[in-house]
Amino acid sequence: MDESGGSGQPRSDRDDAADHHADPTAPAGAPAPHDDSAHPADTGTPDRTAPGEPAHAPPAAGPGPTAPTDPAAEDHAPPADTTRPAPPQHRTPAHAGEHRSGSGEHRTHADAGITGGPPPPKPKESGGGLLVGRPFGVPVYVAPSWFLVAALITWVFGGQLDRVLPELGALRYLVALFFAVAFYASVLVHELAHTVAALRFKLPVRRIQLQFFGGVSEIEKEAETPGREFWLAFVGPLLSLALGGVFYLAMLPVEPGTVPGVLLAGLMISNLIVAAFNLLPGLPLDGGRMLRAVVWKITGRPMSGTVAAVWVGRALAVAVLVGMLTQTATLSSGDQPLGGVGTVTDALLAAILAAIIWTGAGNSLRMARLREHLPELQARTLTRRAVPVETRTPLSEALRRANAAGARALVVVDADGHPLSLVREAAIVGVPEHRRPWVAVSGLAQDLTDGMRVSAELAGEELLDVLRATPASEYLVVEETGEIYGVLSAADVERAFVKAMARPS
């Protein structure tokens, strides 16, 4: 990937959430330590060490760790979709009479293997509407908002048919509905062009969604080179141009002024408008992705291409709004005065379209900046030092060992030192201090699954995807050899993620 992923050296001046997050391994109320480096597993006793404990582990600094005072910590999970980079969305916005197209911002959903077990399964898709098919294995959804725009297209196009084919009567709305469905079938073909190109470049596609202003192809990874980025964006409008040509050729033998002739003419014009609008050089349109690829190629920096395409996209948003409002005012006449239903509808659509382009450009820039900082999220850097304890170890004794070792997490192991489960930090809070000598750590632990074993080398998007695939409050971090490195708190990752989002480029 061009802007994310990979691992790196831990930063010595790390100031992430792990430094400020309450510790699970000591009595509540004690001050939390300031830990400036990642710590591998530590036993806290001279006669027992964690399996494979790295010899270079620095000692913990400051006073002993403390238990969290927020019971909600148990429910912490990895960052949700809303805080993750968005997959490349090749949008094809459209509306009757003003059919528009574009490509959207990037989010990334990568699958990564986990040391010590098979790759975790992908989380179940939430969908996004009505599932209508799986061409090339990619699910296609129709969002509820599509039915609104289909009704709008039926109403507008039905009014146009009343002037061209008045003999149809009420049947004109049935013909108009057929046009709406056929046009969105063209939009789907446009999106499938992006999908086929993405699969050709070995970029997984999460789904295609047909919605209010067109279609969105959610590609899970970003193109690795500017050349691939260019072609991935260009194939959509290229296919829309081809569809326009096909409908033109099909229209030639058909008698003008008939239902088939009007439908074919409308589909030809609509696809040509989709292609032309889609080629405008500004994000989030496909043309913006093409401009980004060109600037990326010239400068060698993907971020430079994104910034250029974003500002052109914002300029386009303003131009679309001003241009459509000016045209609406100019075309207003006595039979349709300014302020009539038609002009109000046009003005509203202009405002909505301009807002979509403006916000889409801003989201593209925000996600690009986030991808620049994602490599800073490193499992090794965010990991807490942990001590291994056996199943029947009293909680008070486990906390004593953790305090002695300067550790901030507990790993339950068997007699051979193999990890079995992780003691949940939130569960410790629920045990009063006077009962801790009689509570075994096993009763507060969560059994380890393959998805809860995280490689210490994971970073950036790969780390987020692994955590998202198996939601949990804590994860066991292991070396490539399978040795315990420590425990990773989802809350620490989430806070570091938010901090990365807020940091400017």
Side-chain angles (χ1 to χ4, degrees):
M1 306 189 129
D2 51 35
E3 298 179 45
S4 60
S7 60
Q9 299 299 320
R11 293 177 286 116
S12 60
D13 59 343
R14 181 171 65 89
D15 181 24
D16 53 40
D19 295 332
H20 306 289
H21 190 68
D23 189 78
T25 57
H34 180 75
D35 184 6
D36 286 328
S37 60
H39 298 294
D42 196 334
T43 66
T45 58
D47 59 339
R48 180 180 178 84
T49 57
E53 175 185 353
H56 64 275
T66 64
T69 58
D70 180 9
E74 182 177 5
D75 297 326
H76 278 305
D81 269 344
T82 55
T83 58
R84 304 180 70 248
Q89 296 183 350
H90 292 274
R91 298 181 180 273
T92 309
H95 186 271
E98 290 291 338
H99 304 298
R100 297 168 282 268
S101 174
S103 67
E105 59 278 2
H106 287 256
R107 286 194 304 257
T108 306
H109 304 266
D111 266 339
I114 301 176
T115 301
K122 281 191 176 183
K124 184 178 181 180
E125 295 291 350
S126 59
L130 177 65
L131 178 64
V132 295
R134 292 180 177 271
F136 305 103
V138 178
V140 177
Y141 294 93
V142 175
S145 60
W146 178 85
F147 296 95
L148 177 61
V149 75
L152 186 59
I153 292 176
T154 301
W155 175 55
V156 174
F157 194 66
Q160 296 174 352
L161 284 175
D162 191 34
R163 293 191 293 270
V164 179
L165 299 170
E167 65 276 10
L168 287 177
L171 287 177
R172 67 182 183 275
Y173 292 108
L174 183 60
V175 176
L177 178 60
F178 178 82
F179 170 80
V181 174
F183 173 71
Y184 265 84
S186 300
V187 171
L188 176 58
V189 172
H190 176 112
E191 297 304 326
L192 286 174
H194 293 304
T195 295
V196 172
L199 296 177
R200 174 67 177 81
F201 294 143
K202 301 187 184 304
L203 302 176
V205 182
R206 181 186 183 192
R207 67 181 179 182
I208 296 174
Q209 186 182 55
L210 300 179
Q211 49 190 229
F212 186 86
F213 264 94
V216 180
S217 299
E218 296 186 4
I219 301 173
E220 296 185 348
K221 290 184 179 180
E222 192 175 58
E224 297 177 351
T225 65
R228 291 187 174 186
E229 170 84 347
F230 183 92
W231 285 107
L232 186 60
F234 182 58
V235 291
L238 179 63
L239 195 54
S240 292
L241 285 172
L243 284 175
V246 169
F247 287 123
Y248 172 75
L249 294 176
M251 186 179 61
L252 293 179
V254 177
E255 183 180 351
T258 62
V259 171
V262 172
L263 285 175
L264 290 172
L267 290 172
M268 178 196 69
I269 295 172
S270 297
N271 277 277
L272 292 178
I273 294 175
V274 164
F277 188 85
N278 197 39
L279 288 171
L280 293 177
L283 286 172
L285 307 176
D286 282 338
R289 306 228 69 86
M290 295 162 63
L291 173 62
R292 175 181 183 270
V294 171
V295 178
W296 176 3
K297 179 67 175 179
I298 294 173
T299 63
R301 295 187 68 247
M303 190 63 183
S304 298
T306 300
V307 171
V310 162
W311 282 108
V312 173
R314 288 173 171 171
L316 283 174
V318 175
V320 166
L321 180 61
V322 174
M324 292 184 68
L325 291 179
T326 302
Q327 182 182 21
T328 298
T330 302
L331 296 178
S332 297
S333 58
D335 57 340
Q336 186 175 320
L338 186 63
V341 175
T343 57
V344 171
T345 300
D346 291 343
L348 179 60
L349 292 176
I352 293 175
L353 180 60
I356 288 176
I357 296 176
W358 182 278
T359 57
N363 287 338
S364 297
L365 181 60
R366 180 173 64 88
M367 294 303 173
R369 286 174 173 167
L370 175 59
R371 283 194 302 276
E372 277 198 328
H373 295 302
L374 274 182
E376 299 172 11
L377 298 181
Q378 302 169 9
R380 188 177 297 278
T381 304
L382 296 172
T383 296
R384 299 176 176 185
R385 181 189 291 269
V387 294
V389 293
E390 294 187 356
T391 303
R392 298 182 180 180
T393 304
L395 178 58
S396 59
E397 171 62 15
L399 295 179
R400 184 195 66 77
R401 295 181 188 178
N403 281 324
R408 305 181 61 209
L410 299 173
V411 179
V412 180
V413 298
D414 60 17
D416 297 324
H418 299 138
L420 300 174
S421 56
L422 301 178
V423 178
R424 296 170 296 139
E425 60 176 357
I428 298 176
V429 179
V431 181
E433 188 170 354
H434 68 276
R435 286 187 49 82
R436 291 177 180 177
W438 292 274
V439 176
V441 292
S442 59
L444 308 174
Q446 180 177 2
D447 291 340
L448 281 171
T449 64
D450 288 336
M452 292 173 62
R453 297 174 185 266
V454 176
S455 170
E457 303 304 321
L458 288 180
E461 295 175 17
E462 282 190 325
L463 174 61
L464 296 180
D465 289 325
V466 168
L467 302 192
R468 181 175 178 267
T470 308
S473 55
E474 289 91 15
Y475 299 84
L476 180 68
V477 180
V478 296
E479 297 283 8
E480 292 184 352
T481 58
E483 299 171 342
I484 298 176
Y485 185 78
V487 172
L488 179 65
S489 168
D492 292 347
V493 177
E494 185 173 1
R495 294 185 183 185
F497 184 91
V498 172
K499 182 181 176 181
M501 289 184 66
R503 186 181 299 118
S505 294

